[in-house]
Amino acid sequence: MIRSLQNAAPTPAAPAPAAPTVHSGATVAWRTAVSYEARDLRAALAAVLGELGGMAAFVRPGDRVLINPNFLAARGPDRAVTTHPALTMAVADLAREVGGRVWIGDSPAGALKGVERVWRRSGHLDLAREHRHELVSFEALGGAVEQVDGHAFLLNAALRASDVVISLPKLKTHALTLYTGGVKKVFGHIPGLAKAEFHKLHPHPDAFARMLVALYARVRPRLTILDGIVGMEGPGPASGPARRFGWLLASADAVAVDAVASWLIGLSPERVDTTRLAAARGLGEARLAQITVRGPALADHRLADVRLPDNRWLARIPAGLARAATSLLWARPRVHPAACTGCGACVEMCPTGTIAQASGKARIDLSGCVFCLGCREVCRDGAVEMRLSPVARLVL
C-alpha cells in the first residue's frame, strides 16, 4: 500500500527531545556469512534480535512503527546503494508479528520528482505489496518544524506520529563523512528541499556532523539494524563498488553499531565525526572496549583491504573560515565530461533544477546550485568532481 497526499495522516504535536543519557556501555549483536535468501536472513535476524530480547523488546502491540531504510537513489538492490528490500520486509514482518502497525519510509534524492521510481528500482515496491506493508512518501505527508539545539528541522509527519523508529542503514563508505551508518541515517527523516539547505548552511564536515548529531538526538531510533550483507566501498555512498561483507549488526545504540562497523572496515571510530561527536554528547557508546559484542569475535573479521574515501581535502579547511569566506574559499561540483555517460540521475535528483543535459552530458549551473552535493551522491559513474577555488588550493 502507498500513502498519498489524499490520505495523509495529521501531524500531531511532538514531545520535546529527551535530554541525552550518558551510557555506561552498549550491546551490539551481529552475525557473519549472512545472505539475503529469505530463510537465511530470517534466521540471522532471529539470532541478532534474540541477543537483544527479541523484537518484542522494542515494539509493543498497537505501536505505530516507522521503519526507515536507506532509499538514497533509484538503484537496483545489486548496486548496494539502498537497504536491501529483503531485509526491510523481514524486519517489517517481525514488527507486525509482535503487534506493531508498520510504515516504511525515507526521503531519497529526487523524491520530489517521483519517490515511486525509487521504490520500484530498489525492489521495495513489489515486495511491499507482496508482504502487505505500507510505503509512505515523506514529501506527500508533509511535516512540521522543530527547534533542536539551534537547528530548525523540518521533520516528516510519519516520524512525528510514530511510537517507534527502527532504522535500517546500509553499510557504506561516504566521500564526505567517510562512513555512513546509523547516526547519519536520520538525515533521511527531513523531507524534500530542506536537506539541501542544511548542506549549504554546514559545508564543513565537522559542522555537518554536529547538525546530524543534533538531529539524531531528536529522532533516537529505538532499534538500529545495519545491512552489511552487501555494502559499498570506495567513493560512496552511490558510486562506489558493491562489496560482500556478509554482516548483520543490531543494537538499541546506533552509535555503538557505527563504532563496530566502521572498525570492521578499517576506520577508527574516532575518525568518523558523527560517531565521535554523538558519543561525546552521551548519545551512545563509541569505545569498543565498553561495547558488549554478542556474536563472532570482531578481531577475526576486521578487514584491512577495504577501499576508504579521503575527506581531508575538505576537513582541513577551518570551519569558521569555510562559513566566513565562502566567496573566496569553496569547493563546487563539476561534471567531468569524459566520465559522464548522460544517465540523467543527477538531473532527476537536483532539488533546484540547475543540472541539465547538453549534448548527452550533464552540466551544472552554479548560479542556482545550493551545494547539497546530491549530484555527487547519486552519480554511478563517479563523474562529479569537486572544483576548488584558488584560495582553497593554496590552503590545501
Side-chain angles (χ1 to χ4, degrees):
M1 293 183 289
I2 303 169
R3 178 60 58 93
S4 66
L5 280 169
Q6 285 70 33
N7 57 3
T11 302
T21 300
V22 176
H23 290 233
S24 60
T27 298
V28 173
W30 81 308
R31 292 296 184 270
T32 60
V34 182
S35 76
Y36 294 119
E37 190 276 325
R39 182 176 298 179
D40 180 60
L41 183 56
R42 180 83 179 203
L45 269 174
V48 295
L49 292 179
E51 302 277 16
L52 304 174
M55 183 63 79
F58 302 95
V59 177
R60 296 169 298 184
D63 278 347
R64 171 59 81 181
V65 181
L66 175 58
I67 294 180
N68 180 221
N70 186 327
F71 282 169
L72 176 64
R75 296 286 185 271
D78 60 313
R79 296 296 302 274
V81 172
T82 58
T83 303
H84 198 283
L87 176 61
T88 303
M89 298 307 147
V91 173
D93 288 347
L94 288 174
R96 183 169 58 193
E97 287 171 13
V98 296
R101 296 176 296 145
V102 175
W103 279 341
I104 300 171
D106 190 38
S107 181
L112 290 175
K113 298 184 178 181
V115 69
E116 286 191 34
R117 179 172 177 270
V118 178
W119 296 343
R120 182 175 297 106
R121 290 286 299 276
S122 68
H124 281 80
L125 185 59
D126 289 342
L127 274 185
R129 288 170 174 164
E130 179 183 330
H131 287 248
R132 295 178 293 107
H133 290 303
E134 183 177 9
L135 292 167
V136 294
S137 166
F138 290 172
E139 285 68 32
L141 288 177
V145 174
E146 295 185 25
Q147 297 288 334
V148 182
D149 292 348
H151 302 282
F153 292 124
L154 174 61
L155 298 179
N156 73 83
L159 169 67
R160 291 166 57 84
S162 295
D163 302 300
V164 178
V165 175
I166 298 178
S167 182
L168 304 182
K170 188 77 165 176
L171 175 53
K172 298 188 290 184
T173 52
H174 196 288
L176 202 61
T177 60
L178 297 182
Y179 162 90
T180 178
V183 175
K184 188 177 183 301
K185 180 69 209 74
V186 298
F187 201 41
H189 287 284
I190 298 178
L193 296 174
K195 288 192 291 296
E197 185 64 20
F198 282 106
H199 278 288
K200 184 178 180 180
L201 289 172
H202 307 289
H204 193 274
D206 181 80
F208 189 66
R210 291 180 186 278
M211 178 276 297
L212 290 173
V213 169
L215 180 58
Y216 175 76
R218 163 61 181 89
V219 176
R220 294 301 289 272
R222 190 172 294 179
L223 173 64
T224 295
I225 303 174
L226 181 68
D227 179 4
I229 299 171
V230 177
M232 181 178 292
E233 62 181 343
S239 57
R243 175 161 178 172
R244 175 168 177 77
F245 298 112
W247 303 334
L248 188 69
L249 295 85
S251 179
D253 184 343
V255 181
V257 167
D258 288 350
V260 170
S262 61
W263 186 85
L264 283 168
I265 65 171
L267 274 172
S268 297
E270 295 79 13
R271 285 193 62 198
V272 180
D273 289 337
T274 49
T275 304
R276 173 177 53 81
L277 294 170
R281 281 196 53 177
L283 297 172
E285 182 59 74
R287 298 168 298 175
L288 293 175
Q290 298 299 316
I291 298 173
T292 300
V293 177
R294 294 179 176 169
L298 295 181
D300 294 340
H301 296 274
R302 194 183 196 204
L303 301 175
D305 62 342
V306 177
R307 292 173 52 195
L308 300 174
D310 187 353
N311 68 352
R312 286 176 294 181
W313 59 275
L314 185 56
R316 287 172 58 191
I317 300 175
L321 190 58
R323 289 289 302 275
T326 53
S327 62
L328 298 176
L329 186 66
W330 45 257
R332 295 174 180 168
R334 176 178 61 181
V335 177
H336 192 286
C340 178
T341 60
C343 70
C346 59
V347 177
E348 293 178 5
M349 68 68 51
C350 181
T352 57
T354 58
I355 306 178
Q357 294 273 25
S359 301
K361 304 291 182 180
R363 291 187 180 179
I364 302 173
D365 177 6
L366 291 175
S367 65
C369 180
V370 295
F371 313 116
C372 68
L373 301 185
C375 54
R376 186 172 181 176
E377 289 193 352
V378 302
C379 180
R380 63 189 182 192
D381 303 306
V384 181
E385 305 174 325
M386 296 308 298
R387 182 165 63 94
L388 303 180
S389 69
V391 174
R393 287 197 295 271
L394 288 175
V395 172
L396 298 177

